[in-house]
Amino acid sequence: GAVVSQHPSWVICKSGTSVKIECRSLDFQATTMFWYRQFPKQSLMLMATSNEGSKATYEQGVEKDKFLINHASLTLSTLTVTSAHPEDSSFYICSDRPYRDSGGAFFGQGTRLTVV
Amino acid sequence: AQTVTQSQPEMSVQEAETVTLSCTYDTSENNYYLFWYKQPPSRQMILVIRQEAYKQQNATENRFSVNFQKAAKSFSLKISDSQLGDTAMYFCAFMAYGGSQGNLIFGKGTKLSVKP
């Protein structure tokens, strides 16, 4: 079964509102998780690194005040898109940090955000 | 900075035939992993195969195998006996191991269509 669970799978919100996306590790303690964004027919681009108990690290060009990340526990990281606009519509995916014996990163199911 | 290049935006193969997807990368790191991920229409990222850079032996997973050429920085994926369920986007990914990051760097993807 899935070791990383992401919720919701899809969400439609009005422009100007905020949306929270949750990423849960189901059977391990995740001190680090990653948030990616994927535009249609494009690849995954790293947005930020979520660190348990400390501030997230954002990639260049990603607005930290728009994409708020909270990692308050070892099993939950959240991404909040604040004051959403239509250009924020995208597919957002979280993953854990691959470890040596893990075989590779586990990804959440992804969240399709549509801002109208 | 690391880069991953997939030069084939789209490919098609007949069912039961063999297809090879290309991937090249650039890095100055010595310790790293390479991955192939599959993203079907559901958009769930699924690990297909991984290769540790320090291993000379090419990784294999059932019908999937890689040709890892470290000196050439090449990492191609061979799918044998292609099945309709193999139709998906395939992403080549790089991860430097041992650093503080641990995130994956993805190529732009190859859309594979398996035809009956």
Side-chain angles (χ1 to χ4, degrees), chain B residues 4-50:
Chain B
V4 177
T5 303
Q6 291 178 252
S7 58
Q8 304 151 317
E10 293 191 39
M11 292 193 72
S12 65
V13 63
Q14 291 295 130
E15 194 175 9
E17 297 293 310
T18 295
V19 64
T20 299
L21 307 184
S22 300
C23 174
T24 59
Y25 61 96
D26 191 24
T27 185
S28 58
E29 299 282 345
N30 288 321
N31 300 315
Y32 55 89
Y33 289 87
L34 295 163
F35 305 90
W36 279 97
Y37 278 88
K38 170 184 177 181
Q39 188 179 42
S42 68
R43 303 190 80 171
Q44 173 72 57
M45 295 291 286
I46 301 168
L47 176 67
V48 175
I49 199 167
R50 78 164 187 169

Side-chain angles (χ1 to χ4, degrees), chain A residues 7 59-62 78 86-87 93-94 98:
Chain A
H7 178 81
E59 294 301 298
Q60 191 173 9
V62 177
T78 61
E87 57 265 31
I93 314 177
C94 66

Side-chain angles (χ1 to χ4, degrees), chain A residues 34 36 38-39 42-44 46 49 91 93 97-101 103-105 107-109 112, chain B residues 33 35 37 39 42-45 47 50 54 91 95 97 99-104 106-108:
Chain A
F34 301 100
Y36 297 85
Q38 185 179 30
F39 290 103
Q42 294 191 25
S43 189
L44 283 73
L46 180 68
T49 302
F91 191 68
I93 314 177
R97 183 175 191 263
Y99 292 93
R100 193 174 194 93
D101 299 322
F107 287 83
Q109 301 92 323
R112 180 186 299 276
Chain B
Y33 289 87
F35 305 90
Y37 278 88
Q39 188 179 42
S42 68
R43 303 190 80 171
Q44 173 72 57
M45 295 291 286
L47 176 67
R50 78 164 187 169
Y54 65 87
F91 292 99
M95 184 191 82
Y97 187 80
S100 60
Q101 282 285 340
N103 61 286
L104 297 174
F106 291 91
K108 291 188 175 182

Side-chain angles (χ1 to χ4, degrees), chain B residues 36-107:
Chain B
W36 279 97
Y37 278 88
K38 170 184 177 181
Q39 188 179 42
S42 68
R43 303 190 80 171
Q44 173 72 57
M45 295 291 286
I46 301 168
L47 176 67
V48 175
I49 199 167
R50 78 164 187 169
Q51 175 81 41
E52 290 99 324
Y54 65 87
K55 289 187 177 179
Q56 293 186 335
Q57 187 174 7
N58 289 325
T60 61
E61 285 289 341
N62 301 312
R63 298 183 294 108
F64 300 89
S65 62
V66 299
N67 183 2
F68 174 48
Q69 301 290 328
K70 190 173 183 179
K73 295 190 171 76
S74 172
F75 183 62
S76 61
L77 174 70
K78 185 171 80 172
I79 305 174
S80 304
D81 186 25
S82 298
Q83 300 176 359
L84 297 178
D86 295 334
T87 293
M89 282 291 291
Y90 285 82
F91 292 99
C92 179
F94 170 98
M95 184 191 82
Y97 187 80
S100 60
Q101 282 285 340
N103 61 286
L104 297 174
I105 298 170
F106 291 91

Side-chain angles (χ1 to χ4, degrees), chain A:
Chain A
V3 295
V4 176
S5 178
Q6 188 172 342
H7 178 81
S9 300
W10 59 271
V11 58
I12 301 174
C13 70
K14 291 184 177 180
S15 187
T17 62
S18 295
V19 173
K20 180 185 286 188
I21 302 169
E22 295 186 346
C23 183
R24 293 184 183 275
S25 60
L26 300 182
D27 57 3
F28 64 97
Q29 294 182 334
T31 57
T32 301
M33 300 190 83
F34 301 100
W35 287 95
Y36 297 85
R37 182 173 181 176
Q38 185 179 30
F39 290 103
K41 298 183 180 181
Q42 294 191 25
S43 189
L44 283 73
M45 298 297 296
L46 180 68
M47 297 177 63
T49 302
S50 175
N51 302 300
E52 187 268 334
S54 64
K55 291 183 179 180
T57 303
Y58 291 84
E59 294 301 298
Q60 191 173 9
V62 177
E63 299 177 59
K64 61 181 181 181
D65 293 331
K66 165 165 279 293
F67 299 100
L68 298 180
I69 291 174
N70 184 278
H71 196 151
S73 77
L74 288 171
T75 60
L76 177 64
S77 174
T78 61
L79 169 67
T80 301
V81 183
T82 63
S83 186
H85 290 112
E87 57 265 31
D88 298 325
S89 298
S90 191
F91 191 68
Y92 295 87
I93 314 177
C94 66
S95 82
D96 70 329
R97 183 175 191 263
Y99 292 93
R100 193 174 194 93
D101 299 322
S102 72
F106 292 104
F107 287 83
Q109 301 92 323
T111 299
R112 180 186 299 276
L113 170 64
T114 302
V115 184
V116 298

